[in-house]
Amino acid sequence: MSAPTHAERHGAVSAALDPKTNQKIDPETLEVAPGTVHDRVEGWVPELATENELRKALEKAFDYRGDVTITKKNGSKIDGYIFDRVSGATLESSFVRVLPRDSNQRVKISYAEIAALAFSGRDPAAGKSWEAWVRKYWEKKSSGEGNLTLQPDSLE
């Protein structure tokens, strides 16, 4: 007679059952999660005629991984990366925070100050995924290309 295993002592065996269906849980299906599909917005200059259009465009700008150009109503322009945003009840209480391309300062801009928005910078992560990187690695390896290492590609 052998002693119970660690899993048996701590209930891990019964934890592998779905409490709703009482069926065994396949751990492989738990590891699959839907990805995010990013719109190809590089170079896009959205129409900002309504408050709703402005809010939608700024949400896309927040998800965008490249630089945007914000033109303020006073005519000044800021080129940079939107790293934060707060969507309040009004345009005056909503704002984005930008890391300007030419400065280390963080700039806070109210939605009410924004006249135009342009997705001006290249999205450095567009078309790059782990699956694409692995596919490219194995293509190079199978073609006999030498000196292959498991290092990420340069973003430049």
Side-chain angles (χ1 to χ4, degrees), residues 26-35 131:
D26 179 11
E28 292 300 319
T29 61
L30 296 176
E31 298 298 321
V32 178
E131 292 82 11

Side-chain angles (χ1 to χ4, degrees), residues 78-139:
I78 297 175
D79 250 353
Y81 177 75
I82 295 178
F83 71 94
D84 189 18
R85 58 49 182 114
V86 171
S87 184
T90 66
L91 292 180
E92 289 77 17
S93 65
S94 305
F95 62 88
V96 292
R97 292 176 46 195
V98 181
L99 290 170
R101 183 181 298 172
D102 57 357
S103 166
N104 289 335
Q105 239 181 335
R106 294 184 167 132
V107 178
K108 183 176 172 180
I109 305 169
S110 168
Y111 283 20
E113 296 177 59
I114 299 173
L117 180 68
F119 291 77
S120 52
R122 180 182 73 85
D123 183 348
K128 296 187 179 190
S129 67
W130 171 249
E131 292 82 11
W133 183 87
V134 169
R135 188 177 337 102
K136 187 174 168 183
Y137 172 82
W138 284 112
E139 285 171 1

